[in-house]
Amino acid sequence: MDTDTPPAQDAPLQPPAPFQALAHLLDGPESIEQAAILTQALKAVPDLQRWLRERRQHVVNTLHDRDKISYTDMAPHLDVTPERVSGIARGHSRSGGKKRRGQAEDPGPDGTA
């Protein structure tokens, strides 16, 4: 059996579980409209990641402050260490963009954050 053979192009792959709502992008025959929508979605991935990080930080802080759930108790549910949960709560990103809770971003050269 040849293990270097790519998967069949006519068998559309389903998106990962958290993104099943995007599966409709595979409906119908392939079209330039599909390609354009997929391109727009790909370009928006950094914005999506930023939004997901901000929402996760908000939820972690709410659970910690309102419900008094410790970082240690949250860690196994998030599949990270308690120290990482603490970093999430403070807005630290493993990608290097560190922003503290409630801290505004430094303005860029044009005065925008």
Side-chain angles (χ1 to χ4, degrees):
M1 181 171 160
D2 183 5
T3 58
D4 293 329
T5 304
Q9 295 297 316
D10 58 351
L13 299 175
Q14 290 298 309
F19 306 105
Q20 287 295 316
L22 299 176
H24 74 279
L25 296 175
L26 303 175
D27 292 345
E30 289 77 6
S31 68
I32 193 66
E33 290 80 13
Q34 279 182 327
I37 292 169
L38 292 166
T39 298
Q40 290 171 350
L42 284 167
K43 287 180 178 179
V45 166
D47 292 335
L48 174 62
Q49 289 175 316
R50 187 176 311 108
W51 180 82
L52 290 168
R53 282 192 302 270
E54 290 169 357
R55 293 306 309 155
R56 179 180 63 178
Q57 179 186 4
H58 170 78
V59 170
V60 164
N61 283 319
T62 298
L63 294 173
H64 185 70
D65 297 342
R66 181 194 69 199
D67 300 342
K68 308 300 182 213
I69 299 175
S70 72
Y71 298 148
T72 300
D73 289 339
M74 284 186 228
H77 297 281
L78 303 181
D79 198 26
V80 297
T81 65
E83 293 79 15
R84 179 70 191 114
V85 178
S86 174
I88 290 167
R90 291 189 315 270
H92 290 196
S93 170
R94 289 186 290 191
S95 64
K98 295 184 178 185
K99 181 179 152 190
R100 298 218 183 260
R101 185 176 175 184
Q103 178 183 2
E105 293 182 25
D106 291 333
D110 62 352
T112 61

